[in-house]
mmCIF file of all heavy atoms in Angstrom:
data_model
loop_
_atom_site.group_PDB
_atom_site.id
_atom_site.type_symbol
_atom_site.label_atom_id
_atom_site.label_comp_id
_atom_site.label_asym_id
_atom_site.label_seq_id
_atom_site.Cartn_x
_atom_site.Cartn_y
_atom_site.Cartn_z
ATOM 1 N N PRO A 1 -5.119 30.462 1.076
ATOM 2 C CA PRO A 1 -4.414 30.815 -0.169
ATOM 3 C C PRO A 1 -3.498 32.025 -0.070
ATOM 4 O O PRO A 1 -2.419 32.042 -0.667
ATOM 5 C CB PRO A 1 -5.564 31.051 -1.157
ATOM 6 C CG PRO A 1 -6.636 30.117 -0.677
ATOM 7 C CD PRO A 1 -6.546 30.167 0.819
ATOM 8 N N ASP A 2 -3.899 33.049 0.678
ATOM 9 C CA ASP A 2 -3.064 34.255 0.720
ATOM 10 C C ASP A 2 -1.755 34.048 1.474
ATOM 11 O O ASP A 2 -0.871 34.911 1.446
ATOM 12 C CB ASP A 2 -3.839 35.449 1.291
ATOM 13 C CG ASP A 2 -4.260 35.257 2.743
ATOM 14 O OD1 ASP A 2 -3.967 34.186 3.320
ATOM 15 O OD2 ASP A 2 -4.887 36.179 3.297
ATOM 16 N N ALA A 3 -1.614 32.903 2.136
ATOM 17 C CA ALA A 3 -0.360 32.581 2.822
ATOM 18 C C ALA A 3 0.587 31.774 1.941
ATOM 19 O O ALA A 3 1.678 31.406 2.380
ATOM 20 C CB ALA A 3 -0.647 31.818 4.115
ATOM 21 N N LEU A 4 0.178 31.486 0.706
ATOM 22 C CA LEU A 4 0.965 30.648 -0.195
ATOM 23 C C LEU A 4 1.605 31.488 -1.296
ATOM 24 O O LEU A 4 1.083 32.524 -1.697
ATOM 25 C CB LEU A 4 0.063 29.595 -0.854
ATOM 26 C CG LEU A 4 -0.733 28.680 0.070
ATOM 27 C CD1 LEU A 4 -1.576 27.731 -0.774
ATOM 28 C CD2 LEU A 4 0.175 27.893 1.001
ATOM 29 N N SER A 5 2.721 31.004 -1.812
ATOM 30 C CA SER A 5 3.329 31.620 -2.989
ATOM 31 C C SER A 5 2.488 31.302 -4.217
ATOM 32 O O SER A 5 1.607 30.433 -4.187
ATOM 33 C CB SER A 5 4.753 31.092 -3.189
ATOM 34 O OG SER A 5 4.712 29.730 -3.620
ATOM 35 N N GLY A 6 2.791 31.998 -5.313
ATOM 36 C CA GLY A 6 2.059 31.725 -6.550
ATOM 37 C C GLY A 6 2.223 30.288 -7.006
ATOM 38 O O GLY A 6 1.262 29.641 -7.435
ATOM 39 N N GLY A 7 3.440 29.777 -6.912
ATOM 40 C CA GLY A 7 3.675 28.393 -7.314
ATOM 41 C C GLY A 7 2.917 27.410 -6.452
ATOM 42 O O GLY A 7 2.386 26.401 -6.941
ATOM 43 N N GLN A 8 2.838 27.688 -5.147
ATOM 44 C CA GLN A 8 2.085 26.819 -4.250
ATOM 45 C C GLN A 8 0.599 26.887 -4.550
ATOM 46 O O GLN A 8 -0.089 25.859 -4.573
ATOM 47 C CB GLN A 8 2.354 27.221 -2.799
ATOM 48 C CG GLN A 8 3.758 26.888 -2.320
ATOM 49 C CD GLN A 8 4.051 27.452 -0.945
ATOM 50 O OE1 GLN A 8 3.534 28.509 -0.562
ATOM 51 N NE2 GLN A 8 4.888 26.762 -0.183
ATOM 52 N N GLN A 9 0.092 28.093 -4.812
ATOM 53 C CA GLN A 9 -1.333 28.212 -5.141
ATOM 54 C C GLN A 9 -1.671 27.463 -6.425
ATOM 55 O O GLN A 9 -2.718 26.822 -6.520
ATOM 56 C CB GLN A 9 -1.707 29.694 -5.286
ATOM 57 C CG GLN A 9 -1.711 30.453 -3.973
ATOM 58 C CD GLN A 9 -2.276 31.849 -4.134
ATOM 59 O OE1 GLN A 9 -3.416 32.032 -4.575
ATOM 60 N NE2 GLN A 9 -1.489 32.852 -3.789
ATOM 61 N N GLN A 10 -0.778 27.525 -7.411
ATOM 62 C CA GLN A 10 -1.055 26.829 -8.659
ATOM 63 C C GLN A 10 -1.014 25.315 -8.461
ATOM 64 O O GLN A 10 -1.793 24.581 -9.070
ATOM 65 C CB GLN A 10 -0.069 27.265 -9.739
ATOM 66 C CG GLN A 10 -0.460 26.875 -11.158
ATOM 67 C CD GLN A 10 -1.797 27.435 -11.598
ATOM 68 O OE1 GLN A 10 -2.858 26.961 -11.155
ATOM 69 N NE2 GLN A 10 -1.766 28.431 -12.462
ATOM 70 N N ARG A 11 -0.117 24.837 -7.598
ATOM 71 C CA ARG A 11 -0.102 23.399 -7.301
ATOM 72 C C ARG A 11 -1.381 22.987 -6.581
ATOM 73 O O ARG A 11 -1.925 21.904 -6.839
ATOM 74 C CB ARG A 11 1.124 23.049 -6.463
ATOM 75 C CG ARG A 11 2.402 22.900 -7.293
ATOM 76 C CD ARG A 11 3.581 22.474 -6.448
ATOM 77 N NE ARG A 11 4.145 23.605 -5.710
ATOM 78 C CZ ARG A 11 4.975 23.489 -4.687
ATOM 79 N NH1 ARG A 11 5.318 22.281 -4.240
ATOM 80 N NH2 ARG A 11 5.464 24.556 -4.078
ATOM 81 N N VAL A 12 -1.892 23.825 -5.700
ATOM 82 C CA VAL A 12 -3.173 23.528 -5.049
ATOM 83 C C VAL A 12 -4.297 23.490 -6.081
ATOM 84 O O VAL A 12 -5.168 22.614 -6.036
ATOM 85 C CB VAL A 12 -3.482 24.565 -3.947
ATOM 86 C CG1 VAL A 12 -4.896 24.354 -3.398
ATOM 87 C CG2 VAL A 12 -2.469 24.464 -2.813
ATOM 88 N N ALA A 13 -4.280 24.428 -7.027
ATOM 89 C CA ALA A 13 -5.303 24.429 -8.084
ATOM 90 C C ALA A 13 -5.253 23.140 -8.895
ATOM 91 O O ALA A 13 -6.292 22.576 -9.260
ATOM 92 C CB ALA A 13 -5.122 25.647 -8.992
ATOM 93 N N LEU A 14 -4.043 22.655 -9.167
ATOM 94 C CA LEU A 14 -3.902 21.379 -9.871
ATOM 95 C C LEU A 14 -4.449 20.228 -9.040
ATOM 96 O O LEU A 14 -5.175 19.369 -9.546
ATOM 97 C CB LEU A 14 -2.431 21.131 -10.207
ATOM 98 C CG LEU A 14 -1.896 21.798 -11.470
ATOM 99 C CD1 LEU A 14 -0.376 21.784 -11.477
ATOM 100 C CD2 LEU A 14 -2.419 21.087 -12.708
ATOM 101 N N VAL A 15 -4.108 20.213 -7.756
ATOM 102 C CA VAL A 15 -4.600 19.147 -6.879
ATOM 103 C C VAL A 15 -6.116 19.186 -6.803
ATOM 104 O O VAL A 15 -6.779 18.145 -6.824
ATOM 105 C CB VAL A 15 -3.977 19.274 -5.468
ATOM 106 C CG1 VAL A 15 -4.723 18.402 -4.463
ATOM 107 C CG2 VAL A 15 -2.499 18.877 -5.505
ATOM 108 N N ARG A 16 -6.681 20.391 -6.738
ATOM 109 C CA ARG A 16 -8.144 20.504 -6.683
ATOM 110 C C ARG A 16 -8.788 19.876 -7.914
ATOM 111 O O ARG A 16 -9.811 19.185 -7.810
ATOM 112 C CB ARG A 16 -8.546 21.975 -6.560
ATOM 113 C CG ARG A 16 -10.041 22.190 -6.429
ATOM 114 C CD ARG A 16 -10.393 23.625 -6.181
ATOM 115 N NE ARG A 16 -9.971 24.512 -7.266
ATOM 116 C CZ ARG A 16 -10.218 25.816 -7.290
ATOM 117 N NH1 ARG A 16 -10.860 26.378 -6.285
ATOM 118 N NH2 ARG A 16 -9.811 26.545 -8.309
ATOM 119 N N ALA A 17 -8.186 20.091 -9.071
ATOM 120 C CA ALA A 17 -8.726 19.486 -10.296
ATOM 121 C C ALA A 17 -8.544 17.977 -10.294
ATOM 122 O O ALA A 17 -9.449 17.225 -10.653
ATOM 123 C CB ALA A 17 -8.048 20.102 -11.516
ATOM 124 N N ILE A 18 -7.363 17.510 -9.884
ATOM 125 C CA ILE A 18 -7.075 16.075 -9.878
ATOM 126 C C ILE A 18 -7.948 15.337 -8.872
ATOM 127 O O ILE A 18 -8.344 14.188 -9.093
ATOM 128 C CB ILE A 18 -5.584 15.834 -9.561
ATOM 129 C CG1 ILE A 18 -4.690 16.505 -10.607
ATOM 130 C CG2 ILE A 18 -5.267 14.337 -9.513
ATOM 131 C CD1 ILE A 18 -3.253 16.667 -10.131
ATOM 132 N N ALA A 19 -8.267 15.999 -7.758
ATOM 133 C CA ALA A 19 -9.071 15.356 -6.706
ATOM 134 C C ALA A 19 -10.451 14.963 -7.198
ATOM 135 O O ALA A 19 -11.095 14.076 -6.631
ATOM 136 C CB ALA A 19 -9.193 16.282 -5.493
ATOM 137 N N MET A 20 -10.914 15.599 -8.275
ATOM 138 C CA MET A 20 -12.202 15.231 -8.858
ATOM 139 C C MET A 20 -12.104 13.974 -9.717
ATOM 140 O O MET A 20 -13.105 13.514 -10.266
ATOM 141 C CB MET A 20 -12.724 16.398 -9.712
ATOM 142 C CG MET A 20 -13.211 17.584 -8.896
ATOM 143 S SD MET A 20 -14.744 17.217 -8.026
ATOM 144 C CE MET A 20 -15.896 17.134 -9.407
ATOM 145 N N GLN A 21 -10.897 13.436 -9.851
ATOM 146 C CA GLN A 21 -10.628 12.232 -10.631
ATOM 147 C C GLN A 21 -11.160 12.348 -12.063
ATOM 148 O O GLN A 21 -11.908 11.486 -12.537
ATOM 149 C CB GLN A 21 -11.218 11.007 -9.936
ATOM 150 C CG GLN A 21 -10.697 10.806 -8.515
ATOM 151 C CD GLN A 21 -11.285 9.590 -7.839
ATOM 152 O OE1 GLN A 21 -10.894 8.461 -8.112
ATOM 153 N NE2 GLN A 21 -12.237 9.814 -6.943
ATOM 154 N N PRO A 22 -10.778 13.423 -12.754
ATOM 155 C CA PRO A 22 -11.251 13.594 -14.128
ATOM 156 C C PRO A 22 -10.587 12.607 -15.070
ATOM 157 O O PRO A 22 -9.486 12.121 -14.805
ATOM 158 C CB PRO A 22 -10.824 15.024 -14.459
ATOM 159 C CG PRO A 22 -9.568 15.214 -13.669
ATOM 160 C CD PRO A 22 -9.823 14.476 -12.374
ATOM 161 N N ARG A 23 -11.219 12.334 -16.168
ATOM 162 C CA ARG A 23 -10.616 11.493 -17.195
ATOM 163 C C ARG A 23 -9.690 12.318 -18.078
ATOM 164 O O ARG A 23 -8.767 11.791 -18.691
ATOM 165 C CB ARG A 23 -11.700 10.835 -18.050
ATOM 166 C CG ARG A 23 -12.607 9.915 -17.235
ATOM 167 C CD ARG A 23 -13.408 9.009 -18.137
ATOM 168 N NE ARG A 23 -12.540 8.238 -19.003
ATOM 169 C CZ ARG A 23 -12.759 8.029 -20.307
ATOM 170 N NH1 ARG A 23 -13.825 8.555 -20.874
ATOM 171 N NH2 ARG A 23 -11.937 7.318 -21.036
ATOM 172 N N LEU A 24 -9.968 13.613 -18.171
ATOM 173 C CA LEU A 24 -9.214 14.511 -19.037
ATOM 174 C C LEU A 24 -8.918 15.784 -18.269
ATOM 175 O O LEU A 24 -9.781 16.320 -17.574
ATOM 176 C CB LEU A 24 -10.051 14.835 -20.285
ATOM 177 C CG LEU A 24 -9.537 15.927 -21.219
ATOM 178 C CD1 LEU A 24 -8.243 15.499 -21.904
ATOM 179 C CD2 LEU A 24 -10.601 16.257 -22.274
ATOM 180 N N LEU A 25 -7.683 16.280 -18.403
ATOM 181 C CA LEU A 25 -7.280 17.502 -17.712
ATOM 182 C C LEU A 25 -6.872 18.546 -18.746
ATOM 183 O O LEU A 25 -6.036 18.286 -19.618
ATOM 184 C CB LEU A 25 -6.105 17.200 -16.773
ATOM 185 C CG LEU A 25 -5.668 18.316 -15.820
ATOM 186 C CD1 LEU A 25 -6.806 18.713 -14.887
ATOM 187 C CD2 LEU A 25 -4.459 17.850 -14.995
ATOM 188 N N LEU A 26 -7.481 19.728 -18.656
ATOM 189 C CA LEU A 26 -7.176 20.853 -19.535
ATOM 190 C C LEU A 26 -6.407 21.892 -18.730
ATOM 191 O O LEU A 26 -6.839 22.282 -17.634
ATOM 192 C CB LEU A 26 -8.466 21.472 -20.084
ATOM 193 C CG LEU A 26 -9.472 20.522 -20.731
ATOM 194 C CD1 LEU A 26 -10.742 21.285 -21.120
ATOM 195 C CD2 LEU A 26 -8.867 19.819 -21.941
#
């Protein structure tokens, strides 16, 4: 993470949430 820009880290955070295959995303 410390090698990524803020925008890249936030996209990773989104991918981490999506990877759980949630029915609802907050």
Side-chain angles (χ1 to χ4, degrees):
D2 64 359
L4 304 179
S5 71
Q8 290 173 328
Q9 289 188 58
Q10 194 59 286
R11 279 183 281 164
V12 173
L14 277 165
V15 166
R16 183 175 61 177
I18 300 163
M20 288 290 290
Q21 303 180 77
R23 298 195 56 223
L24 171 67
L25 188 60
L26 309 175

